[in-house]
Amino acid sequence: MGWQKTFTLSQRSKGCHLVTDEVYAHITPGIKDVKVGMLFLFIQHTSAALTINENCDRDMDMALDNIVPESLNWMHTDEGPDVSHTKTSLIGATISIPITDGHLNLGTWQGIYLTEFRHAAHSRRVVATVL
């Protein structure tokens, strides 16, 4: 039997934001009785992404800005130089995390990150599915 919930993350501006605790607050009812399972998180946007990384990494935003710089000759500029769609494709819209005994089975230093690529703050919708 599966469980699913769509929730909204707090507004954040450009950067890589650790959101593990915020995600936990939304998914606890869906994972608390799961002995062995999987959590799938899907972000419903093309200008932000989800990833798992070291939970105190401050270099991700800088590295992504160097890999996909705003200074390229972008054709899609309705909201400024639009690096966001390219970065979203590189990082991804979905992550999967094992569930063991009602808890996310993340590594010691791992955390869930929202990578926001827009300069202005946005709230982001995430679909959580537990199987």
Side-chain angles (χ1 to χ4, degrees), residues 2-56:
W3 178 90
Q4 189 171 72
K5 178 182 181 181
T6 300
F7 60 90
T8 302
L9 294 171
S10 300
Q11 281 194 356
R12 291 174 174 85
S13 57
K14 184 180 178 303
C16 299
H17 308 280
L18 187 63
V19 295
T20 309
D21 291 342
E22 189 173 355
V23 169
Y24 255 114
H26 290 285
I27 65 161
T28 298
I31 68 171
K32 65 180 174 146
D33 296 324
V34 176
K35 197 82 173 134
V36 175
M38 290 296 294
L39 169 68
F40 301 94
L41 296 175
F42 173 77
I43 191 164
Q44 295 182 312
H45 303 274
T46 58
S47 54
L50 294 171
T51 189
I52 295 173
N53 208 315
E54 181 179 333
N55 63 17
C56 59

Side-chain angles (χ1 to χ4, degrees), residues 98-118:
I99 303 166
T100 306
D101 294 326
H103 298 282
L104 298 183
N105 200 342
L106 291 166
T108 302
W109 298 107
Q110 289 181 323
I112 302 167
Y113 276 88
L114 167 68
T115 51
E116 175 59 63
F117 304 125
R118 297 276 191 225

Side-chain angles (χ1 to χ4, degrees), residues 59-91:
D59 294 328
M60 287 175 29
D61 194 41
M62 176 273 306
L64 288 169
D65 285 346
N66 280 288
I67 293 167
V68 186
E70 288 187 7
S71 61
L72 294 177
N73 189 22
W74 297 100
M75 296 171 71
H76 180 88
T77 58
D78 296 343
E79 300 166 276
D82 206 340
V83 302
S84 61
H85 298 152
T86 302
K87 288 180 179 180
T88 297
S89 289
L90 290 173
I91 301 300

